[in-house]
Amino acid sequence: MEKSTDTSLYMRINEQDKAALEQLYDRYEKILFSFLYKMLEDRELAEEALQEVFIKIWRGKGVYDESKGKFTSWLFRMAQNTAIDLIRKHKKPTVPIEEAAQMSSNDAPVDQQVEWQEKKGQIETAVQRLSAEQQKMIDLFYFKGHTHETIADMCDIPLGTVKSRIRLALKKLKISLHGMQERGAYDD
Amino acid sequence: MTNMDCDRLIDYLNGTLSANEIQQFEKHMETCTECQEIVEATGELPYLADPVEPPAGMKARILSNVFEEEHEHDTPASALNPAMSPIPLRKKSSKAQQMWKPLIAAVLLASLLGNAYAFMQLSDQQAVQETAIQSVELQPTETFSGTATAAMFEEEGSVNLVVQADQLAELDAAQVYQVWLINDGKPIPAGAFSPNPNGEGASYYQLESNSDEWDTIAITLEPKTGNELPEGEVVLSSEI
């Protein structure tokens, strides 16, 4: 059977096609759950966030079209925002955990695993090229969902420059990623 | 592009912008390659996560909750007239029937509206919380063969708009019939639909503000979903 594109699935979901939502769910369950778990560090909260994401998609809150870039960027941004809302709602203490419970599993379809591992390798390399402070800021900003004030405190930088520093870190990440993708990656 | 707009990138990624600001920023991104590329690069960050096994039964729980939420969300009709018999919307249906659901819901709502009118006429001394405002027939343009009716009713301060259409021409994959409410030449999107193989389509939309502000309802044929302003031709319209 031909694999539907994300966009065509999304359009069918807009027409309230449950089978399409289920397909999209299957396609992204693993990465979304793992990502949300990384952010929330709690399996129940991660499930709650994931459910919220699919409710938003099903109800058509937030509209995707291809002018907004890749579907996954849009989807992940929605997941990330949902997790941030939960973090702020629960005022969860964000103690960095060791990659403790390695509930690692490999029952996702092989092509998804391969793609994930490939992208993980690329993004890890790109992140490693950032300064330690920049890495920390991306973690605090993106994964931990901290406010600018907290980040200013934690990184000991003036509040007024937090946004531009985060932007600079992300920009460097982008340049580094692009460089790797253009060269066909894996030269490090 | 202005620096002011670029400044919002971090707030955009951090989910602290209002819906309106999000729209403005996305408009800005259309012309700002750098912001666009940073957003795309950020979209790769989730792949840093280590694979984690989801809890057992999560898929079934989530999907049933998602579809359950949808039922609760799209059955305000049950509140229209509490004295009426239960609405068979919750009935489980097979996949083949799925595409009918929005249409059935709309037809049901419309028929409820009819009942609500009759109900109010019969018992006008009785307090009825929900008020059916009006129902109109939309007029097709000369080159368009479809027909549509729109019905509005008010419920707990919000206005619900149901549109149902038939004899619709088939669309390309990306196209959509978009409903607009217009006030003094200014349209807002108010639901969208695509025709089923029988050329029928329906939309349901909940508005925050009161219908008094609208002077026209129109349906356009849009090249893509999610347009905030009409790009396509008007195919059906009516004054309201």
Side-chain angles (χ1 to χ4, degrees), chain B residues 122-135:
Chain B
L122 285 172
S123 56
D124 53 6
Q125 68 273 52
Q126 198 169 334
V128 178
Q129 274 189 330
E130 301 82 12
T131 318
I133 299 169
Q134 60 179 324
S135 162

Side-chain angles (χ1 to χ4, degrees), chain A residues 128-179:
Chain A
Q128 278 156 18
R129 288 180 183 164
L130 304 178
S131 71
E133 189 202 71
Q134 285 175 325
Q135 291 186 27
K136 190 172 166 194
M137 288 210 305
I138 287 186
D139 185 53
L140 294 174
F141 162 73
Y142 189 77
F143 290 106
K144 302 287 185 285
H146 282 305
T147 60
H148 304 141
E149 287 81 1
T150 317
I151 296 176
D153 256 10
M154 292 173 99
C155 297
D156 200 20
I157 51 177
L159 183 58
T161 66
V162 173
K163 278 194 200 177
S164 57
R165 300 261 194 123
I166 298 173
R167 186 185 173 97
L168 195 66
L170 292 173
K171 189 175 166 181
K172 211 172 140 190
L173 183 77
K174 171 206 98 178
I175 292 168
S176 176
L177 264 180
H178 271 210

Side-chain angles (χ1 to χ4, degrees), chain B:
Chain B
M1 166 173 74
T2 66
N3 281 336
M4 284 278 278
D5 288 327
C6 290
D7 273 352
R8 290 200 159 156
L9 171 72
I10 301 303
D11 298 319
Y12 176 71
L13 291 172
N14 217 2
T16 51
L17 297 182
S18 68
N20 202 7
E21 290 168 327
I22 290 174
Q23 238 176 54
Q24 283 172 13
F25 184 77
E26 284 175 346
K27 191 99 202 139
H28 157 73
M29 262 202 303
E30 286 171 14
T31 55
C32 179
T33 323
E34 187 175 289
C35 282
Q36 217 177 78
E37 288 178 354
I38 292 178
V39 168
E40 287 291 298
T42 311
E44 303 284 307
L45 284 170
Y47 292 108
L48 281 175
D50 290 315
V52 174
E53 181 61 20
M58 181 174 81
K59 178 179 170 180
R61 281 195 298 277
I62 288 187
L63 289 185
S64 77
N65 285 334
V66 168
F67 297 138
E68 185 62 26
E69 289 273 340
E70 177 239 353
H71 282 308
E72 284 164 17
H73 184 64
D74 74 3
T75 53
S78 59
L80 194 64
N81 185 345
M84 286 172 51
S85 55
I87 298 161
L89 267 182
R90 283 174 185 273
K91 208 175 128 198
K92 291 236 183 321
S93 50
S94 73
K95 277 182 186 164
Q97 289 173 308
Q98 293 306 332
M99 63 175 147
W100 288 99
K101 205 178 207 177
L103 185 67
I104 291 168
V107 169
L108 211 52
L109 276 172
S111 96
L112 279 174
L113 279 178
N115 289 341
Y117 277 129
F119 178 70
M120 281 187 293
Q121 279 164 2
L122 285 172
S123 56
D124 53 6
Q125 68 273 52
Q126 198 169 334
V128 178
Q129 274 189 330
E130 301 82 12
T131 318
I133 299 169
Q134 60 179 324
S135 162
V136 292
E137 192 105 351
L138 276 70
Q139 300 305 313
T141 52
E142 277 177 19
T143 53
F144 192 72
S145 62
T147 61
T149 55
M152 286 176 127
F153 63 92
E154 195 169 359
E155 183 199 7
E156 289 167 2
S158 62
V159 175
N160 301 286
L161 173 69
V162 176
V163 173
Q164 50 183 327
D166 51 31
Q167 296 166 53
L168 299 169
E170 261 183 55
L171 300 184
D172 294 337
Q175 289 180 310
V176 66
Y177 288 106
Q178 175 72 50
V179 182
W180 306 91
L181 282 169
I182 301 166
N183 170 29
D184 199 15
K186 284 186 218 115
I188 64 148
F193 55 87
S194 303
N196 66 19
N198 292 336
E200 296 158 324
S203 71
Y204 169 73
Y205 193 78
Q206 194 168 42
L207 294 151
E208 295 303 322
S209 57
N210 197 293
S211 69
D212 293 347
E213 298 165 24
W214 312 112
D215 52 51
T216 308
I217 180 167
I219 299 177
T220 60
L221 181 52
E222 292 298 302
K224 63 179 194 306
T225 55
N227 278 348
E228 290 300 317
L229 288 170
E231 275 179 43
E233 294 290 310
V234 172
V235 292
L236 288 151
S237 65
S238 169
E239 288 182 4
I240 48 178

Side-chain angles (χ1 to χ4, degrees), chain A residues 101-130:
Chain A
Q102 271 286 353
M103 283 158 291
S104 179
S105 75
N106 42 15
D107 65 345
V110 173
D111 56 339
Q112 281 180 25
Q113 282 180 55
V114 171
E115 192 192 351
W116 187 344
Q117 286 313 313
E118 235 169 62
K119 295 207 176 209
K120 192 169 196 277
Q122 278 190 7
I123 186 93
E124 270 171 357
T125 310
V127 167
Q128 278 156 18
R129 288 180 183 164
L130 304 178

